[in-house]
Amino acid sequence: MKRNLLFIVPLAFSFVFTSCKDNEEQYSLNIIEEKLNVDLFSSHKLDVESNIPGTILYSSSNPEIAKIDKDGVIKTSSIEGEVIITAKVGKYEDKCTLNVVANGELSFAFANDTFTIEKGYTFKIPYIATYNGRNVTDYLKLDYTSNNEDIVKV
């Protein structure tokens, strides 16, 4: 009788531990696209499959080039480059490479050709920036210079 118990107890423990391990290995987190080429000033919803309980947390290796929000929507800026996007739930994670490339033409125009400003006043010079015909003014920050700072300082 003791011999049977000695055999049954280790067998029962190995079954319990094997069952727990098998359940853990069934979890998966997968970014469908391994590599993405995305245009400047665009957005893209990341396609992720997960059967892991919990919220997927997203991150970008370089938010100046591309940001990703809590819903997995990537928004690119005016800067070209390569970014690693990570999706993570607990100890599980997957990554994809995002290449942000210019596939269009960026142009901008001032609202007027000339501006009159009274001495001592400040003035914001209005402009419109477009990329492939789409207004992208809010994405850009222009640096202004003056060719005669005795008259105008910027």
Side-chain angles (χ1 to χ4, degrees):
M1 178 83 161
K2 270 187 175 181
R3 267 187 143 186
N4 287 343
L5 273 176
L6 290 175
F7 176 72
I8 292 173
V9 171
L11 181 62
F13 277 121
S14 69
F15 175 72
V16 169
F17 289 121
T18 302
S19 296
C20 291
K21 188 173 182 181
D22 286 345
N23 286 339
E24 186 176 307
E25 290 175 1
Q26 291 174 6
Y27 287 136
S28 67
L29 174 69
N30 186 32
I31 298 175
I32 302 306
E33 307 102 329
E34 289 181 27
K35 289 187 177 187
L36 287 168
N37 290 317
V38 182
D39 201 4
L40 299 173
F41 308 108
S42 65
S43 62
H44 177 82
K45 173 75 168 115
L46 197 63
D47 193 5
V48 179
E49 291 179 346
S50 175
N51 64 353
I52 304 169
T55 303
I56 300 173
L57 302 175
Y58 298 98
S59 63
S60 166
S61 64
N62 191 339
E64 289 185 15
I65 295 173
K67 296 178 182 180
I68 186 162
D69 68 14
K70 64 180 181 64
D71 299 316
V73 177
I74 299 167
K75 292 189 178 179
T76 62
S77 69
S78 62
I79 304 169
E80 290 182 285
E82 184 176 282
V83 176
I84 303 299
I85 299 294
T86 304
K88 185 174 183 176
V89 179
K91 66 180 182 178
Y92 299 92
E93 71 177 38
D94 196 13
K95 298 176 186 270
C96 76
T97 302
L98 177 73
N99 290 307
V100 179
V101 294
N103 289 319
E105 185 176 315
L106 176 65
S107 62
F108 70 90
F110 293 109
N112 296 314
D113 290 334
T114 60
F115 301 96
T116 303
I117 307 168
E118 290 187 38
K119 185 177 181 177
Y121 286 89
T122 60
F123 179 73
K124 183 176 180 182
I125 301 172
Y127 67 93
I128 296 173
T130 59
Y131 184 77
N132 290 340
R134 192 174 74 239
N135 187 334
V136 294
T137 304
D138 293 338
Y139 284 88
L140 299 177
K141 179 184 175 220
L142 295 183
D143 292 324
Y144 297 95
T145 59
S146 171
N147 66 350
N148 189 342
E149 290 204 0
D150 290 336
I151 297 174
V152 175
K153 292 183 181 180
V154 289

